[in-house]
Amino acid sequence: MDQFKDEGWNIMSKKIAIIGAGGMASYHIAGFRAAGAEVIAIVDKNAEAAKKAAQKFCVEKTYSSSRQMYETARGLDAVSVITPNASHFPLVMEALSYGKHVFCEKPPALNAAQAQAMAGKAAASRRTLMFDFNNRARPEAYAMMEYINKGSVGRINSAQASWIRRAGIPGFGGWFTNKKLSGGGPVIDLLHMIDLALYFMDYPQPKFVLAQTFSDFIADKAFKGPWGIPDVRKGVTDVEAAAHGFVTFKDGRTLSIRNSWAEMNKREEVSVVFQGSKAGGMVRRLFGIDGIDSTSIDTCELYVQENGRSVNRTIIVEPDETMGRTRAAKNFALSLAGEEPPLNTPDEAVKLMKIIDAIYASAKSGKPVEIK
Ligand SMILES: NC(=O)c1ccc[n+]([C@@H]2O[C@H](COP(=O)([O-])OP(=O)(O)OC[C@H]3O[C@@H](n4cnc5c(N)ncnc54)[C@H](O)[C@@H]3O)[C@@H](O)[C@H]2O)c1
């Protein structure tokens, strides 16, 4: 597999290890190598999975425990945490204790308290901690941020964030549907558009959240997605199937949220739509018949008033079928080398997790939840 061989290796390149040899590892490895970093080891508590991935991606060393790796691997600069959600917190804290920089898959943690502790430890140990909000690294998001940063959009007053699936439950009874292991259902799993909307809005301070969750169809096999993990018989299923929410910010702006794995929607849609003081805009993917295929439709547009007319501007970008996953990993490695600013910060992750906690708290209480 030549495309996975290390490229651009040099004596100064950063050395990174992968923790978790699941499906996302390939994007992280490709991104790190594209930045000239070296992937020196793969850790998976399933030793066979680690060996198989190491062979596939031409990585020299494997370990079945992260601690064993930290004690023996030499010259390691950073790790990528690509394991189920509940293990993000302990694995990130462990990596920071060993003085390593960390790129962690989303969600940052199970809740805001964990995210806050991770952010505090990264700051105290002066290590980079970034999360895989890969949708920020999509060509559409890079293009839209350029317009926003150059002032073409003005102040974004309101935004709508949606990741809505019709039949996309990622397996029944496994870690995804077990709140203790996942932190929740589509709200936390598909948090990307909430993050992207907040990123476009320059992460304002949230004030109130009012939300409701629904669990219709969560155990209905007709709503299983074409991807995910194997079903676990007699496993736990205690997460939502869909959620709708509304966030107000201290500066008076607003964000509407729709997330679902299973809901009577026409088509899977992943979008941020916003209304600014100079222009509105949309970044959207309508998924194809089989996920990311040739029938999917991408849109990146701005809406303006010009010469007394309503004008729609289409921003044309190159397609990226990885949805920014490879580019996000490349950004982490480049930011370690001081060659690019990091695409996200731990403080943003804490704010995002506070909104997610508040969505669940509001759904439980039936009341708006204030974020202090
Ligand atoms: N950014 C994205 O687009 C995207 C897409 C899919 C999944 N994810 C995230 O990636 C993470 C992993 O998801 P997945 O679908 O690859 O899961 P998975 O269950 O397919 O694979 C996870 C791997 O981690 C290993 N593992 C578990 N605990 C471990 C530990 N303590 N130490 C070492 N290895 C351990 C498992 O043995 C398994 O091989 C999740 O947090 C998920 O939310 C992100």
CSV table of all heavy atoms in Angstrom, one decimal, residues 54-99:
chain,number,residue,atom,x,y,z
A,54,ALA,N,-1.3,-1.9,11.5
A,54,ALA,CA,0.1,-1.5,11.3
A,54,ALA,C,0.6,-2.1,10.0
A,54,ALA,O,1.4,-1.4,9.3
A,54,ALA,CB,0.9,-2.1,12.5
A,55,GLN,N,0.2,-3.3,9.7
A,55,GLN,CA,0.6,-3.9,8.4
A,55,GLN,C,0.0,-3.1,7.2
A,55,GLN,O,0.7,-2.8,6.3
A,55,GLN,CB,0.1,-5.3,8.4
A,55,GLN,CG,0.9,-6.2,7.6
A,55,GLN,CD,0.5,-7.7,7.8
A,55,GLN,OE1,-0.6,-8.0,8.3
A,55,GLN,NE2,1.3,-8.6,7.4
A,56,LYS,N,-1.3,-2.8,7.3
A,56,LYS,CA,-2.0,-2.1,6.2
A,56,LYS,C,-1.3,-0.7,6.0
A,56,LYS,O,-1.2,-0.3,4.8
A,56,LYS,CB,-3.4,-1.9,6.6
A,56,LYS,CG,-4.3,-1.3,5.5
A,56,LYS,CD,-5.7,-1.3,5.9
A,56,LYS,CE,-6.5,-0.5,4.9
A,56,LYS,NZ,-7.9,-0.4,5.3
A,57,PHE,N,-1.0,0.0,7.0
A,57,PHE,CA,-0.5,1.4,6.9
A,57,PHE,C,1.0,1.5,7.0
A,57,PHE,O,1.5,2.6,7.1
A,57,PHE,CB,-1.2,2.3,7.9
A,57,PHE,CG,-2.7,2.3,7.8
A,57,PHE,CD1,-3.5,1.9,8.9
A,57,PHE,CD2,-3.3,2.7,6.6
A,57,PHE,CE1,-4.9,1.9,8.8
A,57,PHE,CE2,-4.7,2.7,6.5
A,57,PHE,CZ,-5.5,2.3,7.6
A,58,CYS,N,1.7,0.3,7.0
A,58,CYS,CA,3.2,0.3,7.1
A,58,CYS,C,3.7,1.1,8.3
A,58,CYS,O,4.5,2.0,8.2
A,58,CYS,CB,3.8,0.9,5.8
A,58,CYS,SG,3.3,0.2,4.3
A,59,VAL,N,3.2,0.8,9.5
A,59,VAL,CA,3.6,1.4,10.7
A,59,VAL,C,4.5,0.3,11.5
A,59,VAL,O,4.1,-0.9,11.5
A,59,VAL,CB,2.4,1.9,11.6
A,59,VAL,CG1,2.9,2.4,12.9
A,59,VAL,CG2,1.7,3.0,10.8
A,60,GLU,N,5.6,0.7,12.0
A,60,GLU,CA,6.5,-0.3,12.5
A,60,GLU,C,6.1,-1.0,13.8
A,60,GLU,O,6.2,-2.2,13.9
A,60,GLU,CB,7.9,0.5,12.8
A,60,GLU,CG,9.1,-0.5,12.8
A,60,GLU,CD,10.3,0.2,13.2
A,60,GLU,OE1,10.5,1.4,12.9
A,60,GLU,OE2,11.2,-0.4,13.9
A,61,LYS,N,5.6,-0.2,14.8
A,61,LYS,CA,5.4,-0.7,16.1
A,61,LYS,C,4.0,-0.8,16.5
A,61,LYS,O,3.2,0.1,16.1
A,61,LYS,CB,6.1,0.1,17.2
A,61,LYS,CG,7.6,0.1,17.1
A,61,LYS,CD,8.3,0.3,18.4
A,61,LYS,CE,9.7,-0.1,18.5
A,61,LYS,NZ,10.6,0.6,17.6
A,62,THR,N,3.6,-1.9,17.3
A,62,THR,CA,2.2,-1.9,17.8
A,62,THR,C,2.3,-2.2,19.3
A,62,THR,O,3.3,-2.8,19.8
A,62,THR,CB,1.4,-3.1,17.1
A,62,THR,OG1,2.1,-4.3,17.4
A,62,THR,CG2,1.3,-2.9,15.6
A,63,TYR,N,1.3,-1.8,20.0
A,63,TYR,CA,1.1,-2.0,21.4
A,63,TYR,C,-0.3,-2.3,21.8
A,63,TYR,O,-1.2,-1.8,21.0
A,63,TYR,CB,1.5,-0.7,22.2
A,63,TYR,CG,3.0,-0.3,22.0
A,63,TYR,CD1,3.3,0.6,21.0
A,63,TYR,CD2,4.0,-0.8,22.8
A,63,TYR,CE1,4.6,1.0,20.7
A,63,TYR,CE2,5.3,-0.3,22.6
A,63,TYR,CZ,5.6,0.5,21.6
A,63,TYR,OH,6.9,0.9,21.4
A,64,SER,N,-0.5,-3.1,22.9
A,64,SER,CA,-1.9,-3.3,23.3
A,64,SER,C,-2.3,-2.4,24.5
A,64,SER,O,-3.4,-2.5,24.9
A,64,SER,CB,-2.1,-4.8,23.6
A,64,SER,OG,-1.2,-5.2,24.5
A,65,SER,N,-1.4,-1.6,24.9
A,65,SER,CA,-1.8,-0.6,25.9
A,65,SER,C,-1.0,0.7,25.8
A,65,SER,O,0.2,0.7,25.4
A,65,SER,CB,-1.6,-1.2,27.4
A,65,SER,OG,-0.5,-0.6,28.0
A,66,SER,N,-1.7,1.8,26.0
A,66,SER,CA,-1.1,3.1,25.8
A,66,SER,C,0.1,3.3,26.8
A,66,SER,O,1.1,3.8,26.4
A,66,SER,CB,-2.1,4.2,25.9
A,66,SER,OG,-2.9,4.0,27.0
A,67,ARG,N,-0.1,2.8,28.0
A,67,ARG,CA,0.9,3.0,29.0
A,67,ARG,C,2.2,2.3,28.6
A,67,ARG,O,3.3,2.9,28.7
A,67,ARG,CB,0.4,2.5,30.4
A,67,ARG,CG,1.5,2.5,31.4
A,67,ARG,CD,0.9,1.9,32.7
A,67,ARG,NE,0.1,3.0,33.3
A,67,ARG,CZ,0.3,3.5,34.6
A,67,ARG,NH1,1.3,3.0,35.3
A,67,ARG,NH2,-0.5,4.4,35.1
A,68,GLN,N,2.0,1.1,28.1
A,68,GLN,CA,3.2,0.3,27.6
A,68,GLN,C,3.9,1.1,26.5
A,68,GLN,O,5.2,1.2,26.5
A,68,GLN,CB,2.7,-1.0,27.1
A,68,GLN,CG,3.7,-2.0,26.8
A,68,GLN,CD,3.1,-3.1,25.9
A,68,GLN,OE1,2.0,-3.1,25.5
A,68,GLN,NE2,4.0,-4.1,25.6
A,69,MET,N,3.1,1.8,25.7
A,69,MET,CA,3.7,2.6,24.6
A,69,MET,C,4.5,3.8,25.1
A,69,MET,O,5.7,4.0,24.8
A,69,MET,CB,2.7,3.0,23.6
A,69,MET,CG,3.2,3.6,22.4
A,69,MET,SD,2.8,5.4,22.1
A,69,MET,CE,1.2,5.6,22.7
A,70,TYR,N,3.9,4.5,26.1
A,70,TYR,CA,4.6,5.7,26.6
A,70,TYR,C,5.9,5.3,27.4
A,70,TYR,O,6.8,6.0,27.3
A,70,TYR,CB,3.7,6.4,27.6
A,70,TYR,CG,2.5,7.1,27.0
A,70,TYR,CD1,1.2,6.7,27.4
A,70,TYR,CD2,2.6,8.0,26.0
A,70,TYR,CE1,0.1,7.3,26.8
A,70,TYR,CE2,1.5,8.5,25.3
A,70,TYR,CZ,0.2,8.2,25.8
A,70,TYR,OH,-0.9,8.8,25.2
A,71,GLU,N,5.9,4.1,28.0
A,71,GLU,CA,7.0,3.7,28.7
A,71,GLU,C,8.2,3.2,27.8
A,71,GLU,O,9.3,3.3,28.2
A,71,GLU,CB,6.7,2.5,29.7
A,71,GLU,CG,5.7,2.9,30.8
A,71,GLU,CD,6.1,3.9,31.8
A,71,GLU,OE1,7.4,4.2,31.9
A,71,GLU,OE2,5.3,4.5,32.5
A,72,THR,N,7.8,2.8,26.6
A,72,THR,CA,8.9,2.3,25.8
A,72,THR,C,9.2,3.0,24.5
A,72,THR,O,10.3,3.0,24.0
A,72,THR,CB,8.6,0.8,25.4
A,72,THR,OG1,7.3,0.7,24.8
A,72,THR,CG2,8.7,-0.1,26.6
A,73,ALA,N,8.2,3.7,23.9
A,73,ALA,CA,8.4,4.3,22.6
A,73,ALA,C,9.3,5.5,22.8
A,73,ALA,O,9.2,6.3,23.7
A,73,ALA,CB,7.1,4.8,22.0
A,74,ARG,N,10.3,5.7,21.8
A,74,ARG,CA,11.3,6.8,22.0
A,74,ARG,C,11.0,8.0,21.1
A,74,ARG,O,10.6,7.8,19.9
A,74,ARG,CB,12.6,6.2,21.7
A,74,ARG,CG,12.9,5.0,22.6
A,74,ARG,CD,14.3,4.6,22.4
A,74,ARG,NE,15.3,5.6,22.8
A,74,ARG,CZ,16.5,5.4,23.1
A,74,ARG,NH1,16.9,4.2,23.1
A,74,ARG,NH2,17.3,6.4,23.4
A,75,GLY,N,11.1,9.2,21.6
A,75,GLY,CA,11.0,10.4,20.8
A,75,GLY,C,9.6,10.7,20.4
A,75,GLY,O,9.4,11.5,19.5
A,76,LEU,N,8.6,10.2,21.1
A,76,LEU,CA,7.2,10.4,20.7
A,76,LEU,C,6.8,11.8,21.1
A,76,LEU,O,7.0,12.3,22.2
A,76,LEU,CB,6.3,9.4,21.5
A,76,LEU,CG,4.8,9.5,21.2
A,76,LEU,CD1,4.5,9.0,19.7
A,76,LEU,CD2,4.0,8.6,22.2
A,77,ASP,N,6.2,12.6,20.1
A,77,ASP,CA,5.8,13.9,20.3
A,77,ASP,C,4.3,14.0,20.7
A,77,ASP,O,3.9,14.9,21.5
A,77,ASP,CB,6.0,14.8,19.1
A,77,ASP,CG,7.5,14.9,18.8
A,77,ASP,OD1,8.2,15.6,19.6
A,77,ASP,OD2,7.9,14.4,17.7
A,78,ALA,N,3.5,13.2,20.0
A,78,ALA,CA,2.0,13.4,20.1
A,78,ALA,C,1.3,12.1,19.9
A,78,ALA,O,1.9,11.1,19.3
A,78,ALA,CB,1.6,14.4,19.0
A,79,VAL,N,0.0,12.1,20.3
A,79,VAL,CA,-0.8,10.9,20.0
A,79,VAL,C,-2.2,11.4,19.4
A,79,VAL,O,-2.6,12.5,19.6
A,79,VAL,CB,-1.1,10.1,21.3
A,79,VAL,CG1,0.2,9.4,21.8
A,79,VAL,CG2,-1.8,10.9,22.3
A,80,SER,N,-2.8,10.5,18.7
A,80,SER,CA,-4.1,10.7,18.2
A,80,SER,C,-5.0,9.7,19.0
A,80,SER,O,-4.7,8.5,19.0
A,80,SER,CB,-4.1,10.3,16.7
A,80,SER,OG,-4.8,11.1,15.9
A,81,VAL,N,-6.1,10.2,19.6
A,81,VAL,CA,-7.0,9.3,20.3
A,81,VAL,C,-8.2,9.1,19.5
A,81,VAL,O,-9.0,10.0,19.2
A,81,VAL,CB,-7.4,10.0,21.7
A,81,VAL,CG1,-8.5,9.2,22.4
A,81,VAL,CG2,-6.1,10.1,22.6
A,82,ILE,N,-8.4,7.8,19.0
A,82,ILE,CA,-9.5,7.5,18.1
A,82,ILE,C,-10.3,6.3,18.6
A,82,ILE,O,-10.5,5.3,17.9
A,82,ILE,CB,-8.9,7.2,16.7
A,82,ILE,CG1,-7.6,8.0,16.4
A,82,ILE,CG2,-9.9,7.3,15.6
A,82,ILE,CD1,-7.0,7.7,15.0
A,83,THR,N,-10.6,6.4,19.9
A,83,THR,CA,-11.3,5.3,20.5
A,83,THR,C,-12.8,5.7,20.9
A,83,THR,O,-13.1,6.9,20.8
A,83,THR,CB,-10.6,5.0,21.8
A,83,THR,OG1,-10.5,6.2,22.6
A,83,THR,CG2,-9.2,4.5,21.6
A,84,PRO,N,-13.6,4.8,21.3
A,84,PRO,CA,-15.0,5.2,21.7
A,84,PRO,C,-15.0,6.3,22.7
A,84,PRO,O,-14.1,6.5,23.5
A,84,PRO,CB,-15.6,3.9,22.3
A,84,PRO,CG,-14.8,2.8,21.5
A,84,PRO,CD,-13.4,3.3,21.4
A,85,ASN,N,-16.1,7.1,22.7
A,85,ASN,CA,-16.1,8.4,23.4
A,85,ASN,C,-15.7,8.3,24.9
A,85,ASN,O,-15.1,9.2,25.4
A,85,ASN,CB,-17.6,9.0,23.3
A,85,ASN,CG,-18.0,9.1,21.8
A,85,ASN,OD1,-17.2,8.9,20.9
A,85,ASN,ND2,-19.2,9.5,21.6
A,86,ALA,N,-16.2,7.3,25.6
A,86,ALA,CA,-15.9,7.3,27.1
A,86,ALA,C,-14.5,7.2,27.4
A,86,ALA,O,-14.0,7.6,28.5
A,86,ALA,CB,-16.7,6.1,27.7
A,87,SER,N,-13.7,6.7,26.5
A,87,SER,CA,-12.2,6.6,26.7
A,87,SER,C,-11.4,7.9,26.3
A,87,SER,O,-10.2,8.0,26.6
A,87,SER,CB,-11.6,5.4,26.1
A,87,SER,OG,-11.9,5.4,24.7
A,88,HIS,N,-12.1,8.9,25.7
A,88,HIS,CA,-11.4,10.1,25.4
A,88,HIS,C,-10.7,10.7,26.6
A,88,HIS,O,-9.6,11.1,26.6
A,88,HIS,CB,-12.3,11.1,24.6
A,88,HIS,CG,-12.7,10.6,23.3
A,88,HIS,ND1,-13.5,11.3,22.4
A,88,HIS,CD2,-12.5,9.4,22.6
A,88,HIS,CE1,-13.7,10.7,21.3
A,88,HIS,NE2,-13.2,9.5,21.4
A,89,PHE,N,-11.6,10.9,27.6
A,89,PHE,CA,-11.1,11.6,28.8
A,89,PHE,C,-9.9,10.9,29.5
A,89,PHE,O,-8.8,11.6,29.6
A,89,PHE,CB,-12.3,11.8,29.8
A,89,PHE,CG,-11.8,12.5,31.1
A,89,PHE,CD1,-11.5,13.8,31.2
A,89,PHE,CD2,-11.8,11.7,32.3
A,89,PHE,CE1,-11.1,14.4,32.3
A,89,PHE,CE2,-11.4,12.3,33.5
A,89,PHE,CZ,-11.1,13.7,33.5
A,90,PRO,N,-10.0,9.6,29.8
A,90,PRO,CA,-8.8,9.0,30.5
A,90,PRO,C,-7.6,9.0,29.6
A,90,PRO,O,-6.4,9.2,30.0
A,90,PRO,CB,-9.3,7.6,30.9
A,90,PRO,CG,-10.5,7.4,30.1
A,90,PRO,CD,-11.1,8.7,29.9
A,91,LEU,N,-7.8,8.7,28.3
A,91,LEU,CA,-6.6,8.6,27.4
A,91,LEU,C,-6.0,10.0,27.1
A,91,LEU,O,-4.7,10.1,27.0
A,91,LEU,CB,-7.0,8.0,26.0
A,91,LEU,CG,-7.4,6.4,26.1
A,91,LEU,CD1,-7.9,5.9,24.8
A,91,LEU,CD2,-6.1,5.6,26.5
A,92,VAL,N,-6.8,11.0,27.0
A,92,VAL,CA,-6.2,12.4,26.8
A,92,VAL,C,-5.5,12.8,28.1
A,92,VAL,O,-4.3,13.3,28.0
A,92,VAL,CB,-7.3,13.4,26.4
A,92,VAL,CG1,-6.8,14.8,26.5
A,92,VAL,CG2,-7.9,13.1,25.0
A,93,MET,N,-6.1,12.6,29.2
A,93,MET,CA,-5.4,13.0,30.5
A,93,MET,C,-4.1,12.2,30.6
A,93,MET,O,-3.0,12.8,31.1
A,93,MET,CB,-6.3,12.7,31.7
A,93,MET,CG,-7.6,13.5,31.7
A,93,MET,SD,-7.3,15.3,31.7
A,93,MET,CE,-7.4,15.7,33.4
A,94,GLU,N,-4.1,10.9,30.3
A,94,GLU,CA,-2.9,10.1,30.4
A,94,GLU,C,-1.8,10.7,29.4
A,94,GLU,O,-0.6,10.8,29.8
A,94,GLU,CB,-3.2,8.7,30.0
A,94,GLU,CG,-2.0,7.8,30.1
A,94,GLU,CD,-2.2,6.4,29.6
A,94,GLU,OE1,-2.7,6.2,28.5
A,94,GLU,OE2,-2.0,5.4,30.3
A,95,ALA,N,-2.2,11.0,28.2
A,95,ALA,CA,-1.2,11.5,27.2
A,95,ALA,C,-0.6,12.8,27.7
A,95,ALA,O,0.6,13.0,27.6
A,95,ALA,CB,-1.9,11.7,25.9
A,96,LEU,N,-1.4,13.7,28.2
A,96,LEU,CA,-0.9,15.0,28.7
A,96,LEU,C,0.0,14.7,29.9
A,96,LEU,O,1.0,15.4,30.1
A,96,LEU,CB,-2.1,15.9,29.1
A,96,LEU,CG,-2.9,16.4,27.9
A,96,LEU,CD1,-4.2,17.1,28.4
A,96,LEU,CD2,-2.2,17.3,27.0
A,97,SER,N,-0.3,13.8,30.8
A,97,SER,CA,0.6,13.5,31.9
A,97,SER,C,2.0,13.0,31.4
A,97,SER,O,3.0,13.2,32.1
A,97,SER,CB,0.0,12.3,32.8
A,97,SER,OG,-1.2,12.6,33.2
A,98,TYR,N,2.0,12.3,30.3
A,98,TYR,CA,3.3,11.9,29.7
A,98,TYR,C,3.9,13.0,28.9
A,98,TYR,O,4.9,12.8,28.2
A,98,TYR,CB,3.1,10.6,28.9
A,98,TYR,CG,3.1,9.4,29.8
A,98,TYR,CD1,1.9,8.8,30.2
A,98,TYR,CD2,4.3,8.8,30.2
A,98,TYR,CE1,1.9,7.7,31.0
A,98,TYR,CE2,4.3,7.6,31.0
A,98,TYR,CZ,3.1,7.1,31.3
A,98,TYR,OH,3.1,6.0,32.1
A,99,GLY,N,3.3,14.2,28.9
A,99,GLY,CA,3.9,15.4,28.2
A,99,GLY,C,3.7,15.3,26.7
A,99,GLY,O,4.5,16.0,25.9
